[in-house]
Amino acid sequence: MRLRLNILTLALALCLTLNAQPSDGIEVMDRAIGTFLQSSELMALDTHWSHNQQQWTFKYVTTADGPATPVALTSLLNTFSQLVPQAASSYFHSTQDGEKPFATLVYERKDNYYSGIVGTYDLKDNYNFRLLNFLDADGLTSYGMLWCATDFTDRSGQPCHTIDGLLFKLYGGIWQMQPFRQDNPWEPRDRTARRPISQSERALYETLLSQIQYLNGLYQQNQQSGNEQNCDAIAYMAKNLLEGYKGKLSTRQYTEILKATPGLGESEAGTVRSRILHKAAEQLSKCVSSSIPLSVEYMSKNIGPFVKTDELRLLPLQYTRYHLYKHTVPQTVEVSLTGPATQEALPIKVQPVYPKQEAYEAETGHQQFSLTADFAKDQLLEVSDGKGHRMLLFADSIPTTVDLTQMTLTGSPLNERFAECQRRLDALKPELHKYTSEFGFNHDFEVMDTEGFNRLSVDAHQLQMQLIEENADNLIPVWYLADNYTTMTLDELSRYLKKDRPYADHVALQPVWQWYEGLQKRQPGTKFHDAECIDTLGVSHRLSDYIGRGDYVVLNFWSTRENLTRSSCKAMKQLAKEHAGKNLRVIGLALDSDKESWRRYVKARNLTYEHLSVPADSINSYEQWTAAAIQAYGIQALPESIVFDPKGRIAAIGLLGNTLKEYIRSLPLK
């Protein structure tokens, strides 16, 4: 492996500091970065606003043949190489070097709000990497750059080449470089995927079912003859069988056993034995490996490939509980999936989505993958290989063949039609490489060309609305509604959320209906709803103390708990500063159960605009969502914003970031 690692111990580095003159290297590096960022060849964005950390995302796009490297990038790379002798340590890696030396670079520093801030930079298999560490009187100053190249064909058939990259500087002597890591500590580690019911477990189930059915036959005979003593004995034997079962069951298998259990549902003479059997059924339910959506609550980010940056939100998703042993479980089906797979490929996973649950891992062998498992009928399933290939389908009993690399599916007419819809939308995805970079700070990508990305976003949105229209008589709209509802207008939601549609009651649409009902509460033209809040001193206020008193008011709903919601503070801070002295009030309304943490964050981040929070009696994260100020406006996601006119009527909703700032600039402020 051709890998250049110039690593010196800290003591040696300090000894060489005076001779190496690292401050000269820092000055040269700063000039080189300034020249690089001003190059007309590149698109570049300042994507970090924290002190002592500068970070830029850059991109180069060409339709010329061949992977040409821009002159500006070549010059910067040369500067990195030339300054190695002046650096305390350097780490260089290119894709042609072979195996990467580490997966994650980690820095840590003290912070006046958190106990510490950790910065991580991931080195993926297709990334090139450069790092220089300088030590001078101020301490550590680090410069790093990651970049990768992509070739693709756009919608017009034009071959394209892009170079995406991330450039950073950590300075001020407050950062410490941590040992290299072979994994990313911030990536959620996949729990061991569930395995389907094995053949031996199926045999155990079949034995138990036949035993229970036999006892049920005897029970019916004795019940007809009025022999209650024998009925009690048979129920006792059934109880022992249920409690003694040691295998694994699917939901469907569990339901079949309950239906055959003698005396389970009796309510008069058999009340006592029925109660005993219900307890045994609860014990048996622990053997269930459920694919049925139970009571589910989790936070989800609406980060689809075509979601505009200013529309990114964090959503608390909630789904209704199903009770297994009371026979209210939805109908289940045995899903059989097969498809091509190589031994070298990552494991094929099948995961229920909306609500999202733990994935199954398919068996792989002889260039094929296969999986047979029970799912709720019509549950949305995602089949993926971990390399960016995925297909969605609805759970049904028709055997299905999925080819992830070719994006083809053979199965039920519904799923074949659904696959065609996915191919039509996926045809737009390669063009994302033109307008976005995968080196994003708050989300999976960074928009580099706003005009081009918004144009593609509109096209993708229109296509998805068209797919809903074309499939109004089947379940396919479930996916496009569940995956896009936060970007849809009230008119669009009103058009497609119809109680008489065949997809209206699908479990995946539960949060969509909640969002729709909340959106109706905060439509422009609606007069504000009053509610109690508290300020950072704990003093009680009402929204009427601020709204409807002659000023425009921006009410920003946010929380300190998640970075995506905290990001809205940047725009709020800029709005307050830009329009200081005018008839505009900027108010942050926080959903935080830990009020002291909220107060410290506002102070530590110098958020000088006005701040309120829901009352202190909301004791945990999810109870915050039941507060009067949140319910009054139907808030279902964070961050969210509402603009009120001077008379207290809602003027605009759903604007964040640059879109919000542009709207405020258009108002007749005075």
Side-chain angles (χ1 to χ4, degrees):
M1 178 175 66
R2 184 170 58 85
L3 175 64
R4 178 170 46 178
L5 296 175
N6 301 317
I7 307 175
L8 302 176
T9 64
L10 181 61
L12 179 60
L14 290 174
C15 291
L16 296 178
T17 296
L18 295 176
N19 293 331
Q21 297 180 327
S23 58
D24 293 340
I26 292 173
E27 292 178 5
V28 171
M29 199 74 222
D30 285 342
R31 287 197 300 271
I33 289 175
T35 301
F36 173 74
L37 295 174
Q38 293 173 6
S39 169
S40 60
E41 296 176 288
L42 296 160
M43 292 181 279
L45 293 175
D46 183 348
T47 54
H48 204 287
W49 58 297
S50 174
H51 61 286
N52 295 97
Q53 179 178 7
Q54 292 177 280
Q55 183 169 292
W56 303 270
T57 303
F58 64 87
K59 188 176 188 69
Y60 172 73
V61 181
T62 180
T63 56
D65 295 335
T69 303
V71 174
L73 179 58
T74 300
S75 177
L76 185 60
L77 290 174
N78 289 337
T79 302
F80 267 94
S81 299
Q82 292 164 7
L83 292 178
V84 167
Q86 297 183 42
S89 58
S90 63
Y91 306 85
F92 285 16
H93 174 72
S94 298
T95 53
Q96 61 266 31
D97 293 340
E99 183 181 355
K100 60 186 179 182
F102 53 87
T104 308
L105 175 65
V106 182
Y107 288 89
E108 189 170 2
R109 68 172 173 84
K110 297 293 184 182
D111 183 73
N112 57 359
Y113 172 71
Y114 301 103
S115 59
I117 293 290
V118 177
T120 64
Y121 297 95
D122 300 330
L123 183 60
K124 297 182 180 179
D125 290 340
N126 63 326
Y127 285 6
N128 303 281
F129 182 71
R130 298 286 184 271
L131 172 68
L132 293 178
N133 287 329
F134 296 96
L135 284 171
D136 61 9
D138 292 331
L140 178 69
T141 298
S142 293
Y143 295 90
M145 185 167 69
L146 302 87
W147 76 100
C148 63
T150 305
D151 294 298
F152 62 95
T153 302
D154 66 14
R155 282 187 286 174
S156 68
Q158 175 70 50
C160 299
H161 177 74
T162 62
I163 296 176
D164 292 345
L166 178 71
L167 178 65
F168 65 86
K169 175 185 178 182
L170 306 174
Y171 59 96
I174 64 173
W175 291 93
Q176 290 186 337
M177 185 175 171
Q178 303 300 308
F180 294 132
R181 296 183 181 177
Q182 292 305 315
D183 60 354
N184 178 1
W186 298 108
E187 283 283 342
R189 288 174 173 79
D190 286 339
R191 291 173 293 176
T192 302
R194 288 185 294 178
R195 57 180 177 83
I197 305 296
S198 67
Q199 291 297 325
S200 61
E201 288 166 333
R202 286 175 183 269
L204 284 176
Y205 154 71
E206 289 168 359
T207 299
L208 175 62
L209 182 60
S210 64
Q211 290 171 333
I212 291 294
Q213 287 173 337
Y214 173 74
L215 290 177
N216 191 31
L218 291 179
Y219 186 88
Q220 298 299 328
Q221 294 173 14
N222 282 274
Q223 193 175 48
Q224 290 174 6
S225 64
N227 191 335
E228 291 296 324
Q229 186 174 2
N230 280 355
C231 285
D232 287 342
I234 293 169
Y236 182 76
M237 286 189 283
K239 166 187 172 295
N240 288 340
L241 286 173
L242 297 180
E243 291 180 341
Y245 187 74
K246 301 301 183 183
K248 188 176 179 183
L249 295 171
S250 70
T251 305
R252 179 178 56 82
Q253 291 170 343
Y254 175 72
T255 304
E256 290 300 314
I257 291 171
L258 295 191
K259 288 178 180 179
T261 300
L264 183 63
E266 292 183 352
S267 59
E268 294 179 0
T271 298
V272 174
R273 60 177 172 252
S274 179
R275 189 181 302 122
I276 292 173
L277 287 166
H278 268 295
K279 289 183 179 179
E282 289 184 32
Q283 179 68 27
L284 183 66
S285 70
K286 297 177 181 179
C287 299
V288 175
S289 175
S290 176
S291 301
I292 309 303
L294 304 175
S295 179
V296 179
E297 287 186 345
Y298 61 91
M299 306 298 282
S300 175
K301 297 178 182 179
N302 63 320
I303 308 179
F306 303 106
V307 176
K308 298 177 184 177
T309 305
D310 289 340
E311 293 175 340
L312 294 174
R313 288 170 173 81
L314 192 70
L315 300 156
L317 301 183
Q318 300 177 350
Y319 296 87
T320 301
R321 177 182 292 276
Y322 292 112
H323 297 283
L324 292 178
Y325 65 89
K326 292 185 179 178
H327 305 291
T328 57
V329 65
Q331 180 183 354
T332 59
V333 292
E334 186 177 76
V335 175
S336 177
L337 299 173
T338 58
T342 62
Q343 295 290 348
E344 297 77 21
L346 294 173
I348 305 294
K349 293 189 177 181
V350 181
Q351 181 170 50
V353 292
Y354 297 133
K356 185 177 180 180
Q357 293 181 276
E358 192 176 355
Y360 280 108
E361 185 173 313
E363 296 181 2
T364 304
H366 305 291
Q367 306 294 306
Q368 288 281 119
F369 79 85
S370 63
L371 181 138
T372 300
D374 287 351
F375 294 94
K377 187 176 184 298
D378 299 327
Q379 167 75 52
L380 268 168
L381 304 176
E382 178 187 82
V383 186
S384 62
D385 62 2
K387 291 189 173 182
H389 303 117
R390 72 163 189 174
M391 288 201 76
L392 294 149
L393 56 105
F394 291 97
D396 60 33
S397 59
I398 299 176
T400 305
T401 301
V402 178
D403 187 329
L404 291 172
T405 57
Q406 299 298 318
M407 280 295 292
T408 58
L409 180 150
T410 303
S412 66
L414 174 66
N415 279 327
E416 290 182 358
R417 183 179 179 91
F418 191 19
E420 175 58 29
C421 293
Q422 293 173 68
R423 286 192 291 272
R424 288 168 63 184
L425 187 61
D426 283 352
L428 302 181
K429 288 184 179 179
E431 195 148 331
L432 280 168
H433 291 297
K434 272 189 177 182
Y435 314 121
T436 65
S437 170
E438 65 177 88
F439 294 96
F441 176 62
N442 284 334
H443 41 88
D444 291 346
F445 59 81
E446 193 75 51
V447 176
M448 305 298 292
D449 179 348
T450 301
E451 183 178 344
F453 178 78
N454 287 348
R455 194 165 55 243
L456 182 62
S457 245
V458 169
D459 290 347
H461 185 81
Q462 290 176 345
L463 175 55
Q464 289 171 97
M465 296 308 102
Q466 182 181 339
L467 293 172
I468 294 175
E469 290 274 12
E470 293 175 359
N471 294 281
D473 61 346
N474 60 56
L475 294 179
I476 290 175
V478 167
W479 169 253
Y480 297 106
L481 287 167
D483 207 46
N484 295 280
Y485 64 95
T486 62
T487 67
M488 295 173 66
T489 65
L490 182 63
D491 286 344
E492 287 173 331
L493 288 170
S494 299
R495 192 181 316 143
Y496 303 131
L497 281 180
K498 301 286 189 182
K499 291 292 187 182
D500 60 348
R501 296 285 174 90
Y503 53 80
D505 294 328
H506 196 283
V507 63
L509 296 189
Q510 289 181 10
V512 184
W513 283 105
Q514 294 167 10
W515 174 272
Y516 176 54
E517 292 163 3
L519 196 60
Q520 291 174 313
K521 294 181 179 180
R522 59 181 187 272
Q523 282 306 291
T526 305
K527 187 169 177 59
F528 82 97
H529 302 283
D530 207 2
E532 183 184 2
C533 301
I534 59 171
D535 64 18
T536 53
L537 298 177
V539 178
S540 180
H541 298 269
R542 298 195 68 80
L543 291 178
S544 53
D545 297 338
Y546 305 88
I547 302 172
R549 294 180 172 271
D551 292 329
Y552 285 95
V553 176
V554 177
L555 189 62
N556 180 54
F557 298 84
W558 70 295
S559 169
T560 63
R561 296 191 306 273
E562 292 282 348
N563 184 61
L564 186 59
T565 75
R566 293 193 300 267
S567 65
S568 63
C569 296
K570 179 180 180 181
M572 297 303 115
K573 191 174 181 179
Q574 292 171 342
L575 276 177
K577 181 179 180 180
E578 181 179 345
H579 302 287
K582 299 179 183 178
N583 63 328
L584 176 73
R585 300 185 80 162
V586 178
I587 303 173
L589 181 54
L591 278 75
D592 278 282
S593 55
D594 187 342
K595 305 303 179 186
E596 182 56 34
S597 178
W598 162 60
R599 295 183 188 100
R600 285 192 296 107
Y601 187 88
V602 169
K603 181 179 180 180
R605 295 296 183 258
N606 194 29
L607 305 178
T608 54
Y609 52 94
E610 297 177 275
H611 289 275
L612 299 172
S613 178
V614 296
D617 58 359
S618 299
I619 60 173
N620 62 51
S621 299
Y622 274 100
E623 285 189 12
Q624 302 289 304
W625 295 91
T626 66
I630 307 305
Q631 292 291 309
Y633 297 102
I635 302 300
Q636 299 286 335
L638 295 178
E640 192 60 88
S641 65
I642 302 177
V643 181
F644 298 91
D645 68 18
K647 294 182 179 180
R649 295 192 175 277
I650 295 177
I653 61 172
L655 305 178
L656 299 171
N658 291 328
T659 307
L660 175 61
K661 288 187 284 187
E662 291 171 5
Y663 175 79
I664 296 300
R665 291 180 187 127
S666 71
L667 297 176
L669 301 178
K670 54 186 177 182

